[in-house]
Structure formats: structure tokens, C-alpha cells
Amino acid sequence: AQTVTQSQPEMSVQEAETVTLSCTYDTSESDYYLFWYKQPPSRQMILVIRQEAYKQQNATENRFSVNFQKAAKSFSLKISDSQLGDAAMYFCAYRSATNDMRFGAGTRLTVKP
Amino acid sequence: GAVVSQHPSRVICKSGTSVKIECRSLDFQATTMFWYRQFPKQSLMLMATSNEGSKATYEQGVEKDKFLINHASLTLSTLTVTSAHPEDSSFYICSARDIQGLNTEAFFGQGTRLTVV
């Protein structure tokens, strides 16, 4: 079974600074997708960024980028120019070819003004 | 992005009663929907995969007789918590994927906070 590990229960960053959230996963599959979701206090799951495993190029969405290391099974999220609105729980997720999505334990990000 | 509507957002029910939660894909068709449960300050745990027109696939440890799932159409899946008990109190979230498969992401409902008293 696939597992997703987020080793940082909490992270803190100063406003306008950069922070990196870590994620590793375990799988024997070659075709899969990786995601970072944000969950604010409203608890609505919001997609931040996604990466297809077959793509070597790291995904980027404005201030959000990933460092995808397929051989190491690592998928970290970098948030640049952090804003107060970035404060939330962040979940790393893995989706297999069979379509079910598995989540890591989450990282609570605090942004200090 | 696509919209998934989950209803109700909050529900309080008495112990021993049943409660139904609906998950609708509003602007796309979904052959597969997923039901998750989230305890406070914890991650989303997959409960079951709901397939249109067939039986749901439950994760290990999830009681299929307690958590009844029906996926009668390509836009609607329901989760019924039967004979609810206080330990069933939790946050339940559904998600759905577009049947066209053009999007690799899953779209999430707003979640339902269930409180059993």
C-alpha cells in the first residue's frame, strides 16, 4: 500500500519569507500523481499544486513550486513571499492509477507578520 | 475548477438515529466519488470509494453496514451513517473526479460536521 509521510507537524515562516514543506511517499507504481492541498480553518480542501510522476519538470504555480525527486520519492512544497493568507494546514497527497487518493498527516503552517 | 456540493454542512442527530450526507458534482459527471473522515487536527482518512451503479469499496476497518454508500447517478453519491453513536461524530468530506479524466485532481465538497448527541 502507498504511504505518504509529512515529518513536520508544524512550521512557521515570517511574512514575505520562503518556507519549504517536506513530503515523502512510498510506492511501487511508476504512474501516479502527487498533490499539495491547503485546508484553511473553513476546512475546504483547496488544490495548491499537482505533479505528474512522468514529468521531470517541477510544477510551479505563482508563489508555489515543488521539488520532485522521483528516485528519492520526495515531493516538497516551496512557498515564496509568504503571505498571511497562506496560513493553513497543508496536506501532501498521492493518487495512484486506481484513482484513490492518500494523504499525509499534514503540516500546520503559521505565518508571522 | 469543477464544483462539488456537499450537504448538509452541519448536522446534529440523536444517538441511535441515521443521518444522510449528500455529495453532488454540479458541473461534471463522476463515475467515482470518495468519502473521507477527518478527526480534529488529523489527516483525511479514506473510508470508501463509491462507484456509480455498483457497490462501494470500503477500506479495511470501515463498517459497511454502518456507513452505507449509494452512488445512484453520475452526479450524486450519498453516505448514510446508520444507528449513529457519539463516536461517529466527525468531519466527513467527499471528493469526485471528472469522468472525462482530463483533470487529474479530485474536487472536494465543503465537508459535513456530524455531531451525535
Side-chain angles (χ1 to χ4, degrees), chain A residues 96-107:
Chain A
S96 67
T98 56
N99 296 341
D100 59 323
M101 187 174 286
R102 308 287 171 160
F103 291 86
T107 298

Side-chain angles (χ1 to χ4, degrees), chain B residues 45-111:
Chain B
M45 300 302 296
L46 181 66
M47 298 175 64
T49 301
S50 169
N51 301 297
E52 187 266 336
S54 64
K55 291 183 178 180
T57 303
Y58 289 82
E59 293 298 300
Q60 190 172 12
V62 177
E63 299 178 61
K64 61 179 66 176
D65 294 332
K66 166 166 275 296
F67 299 100
L68 299 180
I69 291 173
N70 183 276
H71 194 157
S73 76
L74 287 172
T75 59
L76 173 64
S77 176
T78 60
L79 169 68
T80 301
V81 183
T82 63
S83 187
H85 291 286
E87 57 266 30
D88 298 325
S89 298
S90 189
F91 191 70
Y92 294 87
I93 308 176
C94 72
S95 73
R97 286 192 65 239
D98 194 318
I99 189 175
Q100 298 295 328
L102 297 178
N103 288 308
T104 57
E105 68 178 284
F107 300 99
F108 286 84
Q110 308 94 314

Side-chain angles (χ1 to χ4, degrees), chain A residues 10-57:
Chain A
E10 297 183 351
M11 288 288 284
S12 179
V13 63
Q14 203 72 32
E15 191 176 8
E17 297 295 309
T18 296
V19 65
T20 299
L21 308 184
S22 302
C23 174
T24 58
Y25 58 95
D26 185 29
T27 184
S28 58
E29 298 179 329
S30 58
D31 185 20
Y32 53 88
Y33 302 88
L34 298 164
F35 306 84
W36 278 98
Y37 280 90
K38 170 184 177 181
Q39 188 180 44
S42 68
R43 305 191 80 169
Q44 174 73 54
M45 296 292 284
I46 301 168
L47 178 67
V48 174
I49 199 166
R50 64 171 176 248
Q51 174 83 43
E52 292 87 345
Y54 63 85
K55 290 187 177 179
Q56 293 186 337
Q57 186 173 6

Side-chain angles (χ1 to χ4, degrees), chain A residues 47-72:
Chain A
L47 178 67
V48 174
I49 199 166
R50 64 171 176 248
Q51 174 83 43
E52 292 87 345
Y54 63 85
K55 290 187 177 179
Q56 293 186 337
Q57 186 173 6
N58 290 326
T60 300
E61 287 288 342
N62 300 315
R63 297 183 296 108
F64 300 88
S65 62
V66 299
N67 184 1
F68 174 45
Q69 301 290 326
K70 190 172 184 178

